[in-house]
Amino acid sequence: MFGGHIDTGMKIAYVMKPDACYNGSGDGTRKQAEIWCEELRRRGHQVDMISPWGSYQWKNYDIVHFFGFGLWNYEMIHWGSGMNPRVVFSPVIDSNTPLWKYRLFSYLGCERLRLFSHNYAVRCYRDEVKLFLARTHYEADYIRQYGIAEDKIALVPLSFRAEHYDASIKKEPFCLFTGTMTQERKNVARLIAAAQKFGFRLVLAGSLGNAESEARLRSLIGNSPNIEVKGFVSDEELYDLYNRAKVFALPSLNEGVGLVALEAAVHGCNIVITRLGGPKEYYEKGSAWLVDPYSVDDIGKSITLALQADHLQPKLRNEIKEKYSVEHCVDMLLEQYRKVAGDGR
């Protein structure tokens, strides 16, 4: 409880963007919050996942943490900070928009006329948020475009969700992708084209979207014998795929962190990942293949090399486990929470 010892037993509110509820467990922002919540509760902290149907004593929270970028949180942060100033905000910005455009967008609006954009809304409540959390240096650069002071931005990386690595399972020469296959930013169309051109075995797992988007995906695959579509799989099936796959590829056009790639790395996969944005920050130089996601040839050649390489694992697995375990990342998160709670007395 605020006013007592803040090293243990903190009371924390997690407020989530509305569309995370519609997207379910596949939503990356929701998954980020749930991983932190589970570990915080394990350590004895109280975390309330705020529901619009609930009634809460806002002033009693040590931390009120908002997740997700959008206009939905403008009124909530503006209103909530008046009752409890200990507001932490994770905007979760997945963008490749040039920074100069981002800065311009953050000025376009008028509070008096209620003319808001996502960017302008954040600029309006920048003084009401005690701390902005970034997942990468790349994301922190975007946050700075709102005119946020450097001492109000902290870097707290994300952790992989779980480890079910079985070293007794022999790696098989195939490339795995998991995610929403029909989402354009995931770039699965070029991944399919690379598999067709270079002949490597590709396994696709995850959501197929609606019937129309699934039909488009399957038309791209055609009768390619080296491409297998698993569709949605259980966690147990996913961990088995991680354990068997030699390579995991995430050549996204736009990606914040790429938690699935971290999970795959912990399960001994070689990683081929987009060179755009922040995901590459999670890998030491030379420990993963960074690709131009717009180049089918770059994707295909990199995956082919990764399927042949045996020198990166288990070193990569050990690095990810050390730096991005949930225990280590939540240690960093709690350090920031304690600073905010202490400042808000």
Side-chain angles (χ1 to χ4, degrees):
M1 186 69 67
F2 185 74
H5 297 288
I6 61 173
D7 286 339
T8 58
M10 298 183 78
K11 187 174 182 180
I12 304 161
Y14 272 11
V15 188
M16 182 61 55
K17 62 175 185 172
D19 60 346
C21 302
Y22 308 135
N23 295 336
S25 59
D27 183 272
T29 306
R30 175 173 172 168
K31 187 177 294 185
Q32 170 182 341
E34 287 175 340
I35 291 172
W36 284 350
C37 174
E38 182 179 348
E39 176 64 13
L40 287 166
R41 287 175 174 171
R42 188 188 70 81
R43 298 189 187 195
H45 302 283
Q46 177 182 332
V47 183
D48 293 342
M49 310 295 276
I50 300 301
S51 163
W53 293 98
S55 178
Y56 305 94
Q57 296 296 319
W58 293 98
K59 66 180 181 181
N60 291 332
Y61 286 107
D62 296 303
I63 296 292
V64 180
H65 191 157
F66 290 84
F67 292 82
F69 188 51
L71 288 174
W72 69 274
N73 54 34
Y74 172 74
E75 289 291 352
M76 294 191 71
I77 290 178
H78 183 69
W79 165 79
S81 63
M83 293 188 295
N84 189 326
R86 298 176 293 278
V87 173
V88 174
F89 183 33
S90 293
V92 190
I93 302 170
D94 298 341
S95 178
N96 290 324
T97 303
L99 291 177
W100 70 265
K101 287 186 178 181
Y102 217 76
R103 176 175 292 181
L104 175 63
F105 294 160
S106 73
Y107 282 101
L108 296 177
C110 177
E111 191 168 3
R112 180 175 295 180
L113 296 177
R114 308 290 292 175
L115 298 176
F116 292 107
S117 68
H118 292 179
N119 302 68
Y120 182 70
V122 175
R123 177 171 288 277
C124 287
Y125 56 64
R126 60 185 174 178
D127 294 329
E128 297 168 341
V129 173
K130 289 288 185 182
L131 185 68
F132 290 79
L133 292 186
R135 303 165 297 170
T136 62
H137 293 286
Y138 184 85
E139 187 174 56
D141 286 340
Y142 277 91
I143 295 173
R144 291 186 188 96
Q145 303 311 303
Y146 299 121
I148 310 300
E150 195 67 36
D151 62 358
K152 294 185 71 171
I153 303 172
L155 184 67
V156 176
L158 300 194
S159 60
F160 57 88
R161 180 177 52 159
E163 179 195 359
H164 296 270
Y165 179 61
D166 188 342
S168 69
I169 298 177
K170 183 177 176 57
K171 287 292 183 182
E172 300 174 23
F174 70 87
C175 175
L176 174 65
F177 167 89
T178 181
T180 304
M181 289 178 250
T182 53
Q183 195 173 71
E184 184 178 358
R185 73 182 184 91
K186 294 296 185 180
N187 206 28
V188 174
R190 287 188 180 87
L191 184 57
I192 289 170
Q196 291 168 330
K197 183 172 182 177
F198 289 85
F200 59 81
R201 182 184 167 201
L202 175 63
V203 176
L204 302 171
S207 172
L208 288 161
N210 57 31
E212 182 181 352
S213 59
E214 180 181 352
R216 286 197 300 269
L217 180 81
R218 292 191 182 277
S219 70
L220 291 175
I221 296 171
N223 59 359
S224 301
N226 58 318
I227 303 176
E228 179 183 1
V229 178
K230 291 281 190 181
F232 180 81
V233 296
S234 67
D235 283 347
E236 290 73 19
E237 292 171 306
L238 178 59
Y239 296 138
D240 178 64
L241 287 170
Y242 282 151
N243 279 323
R244 292 191 291 113
K246 179 69 178 286
V247 173
F248 184 90
L250 193 66
S252 307
L253 303 175
N254 189 339
E255 194 74 54
V257 171
L259 285 178
V260 287
L262 285 181
E263 288 187 1
V266 168
H267 288 81
C269 298
N270 287 337
I271 302 299
V272 175
I273 198 163
T274 180
R275 72 184 188 195
L276 301 182
K280 60 182 176 290
E281 293 184 25
Y282 283 71
Y283 304 89
E284 296 288 342
K285 184 177 181 180
S287 66
W289 281 262
L290 307 182
V291 298
D292 175 1
Y294 292 97
S295 170
V296 169
D297 282 354
D298 196 14
I299 295 169
K301 289 176 182 177
S302 296
I303 290 173
T304 300
L305 289 172
L307 284 168
Q308 298 168 355
D310 292 317
H311 65 287
L312 296 179
Q313 291 285 10
K315 183 175 183 289
L316 174 60
R317 161 180 154 79
N318 293 333
E319 288 174 353
I320 298 296
K321 283 186 65 177
E322 179 181 353
K323 293 182 179 179
Y324 304 114
S325 69
V326 66
E327 294 84 5
H328 180 61
C329 293
V330 170
D331 283 344
M332 299 173 69
L333 178 67
L334 279 170
E335 181 181 357
Q336 298 303 325
Y337 281 171
R338 289 165 185 149
K339 289 178 181 177
V340 171
D343 289 344
R345 289 190 174 190

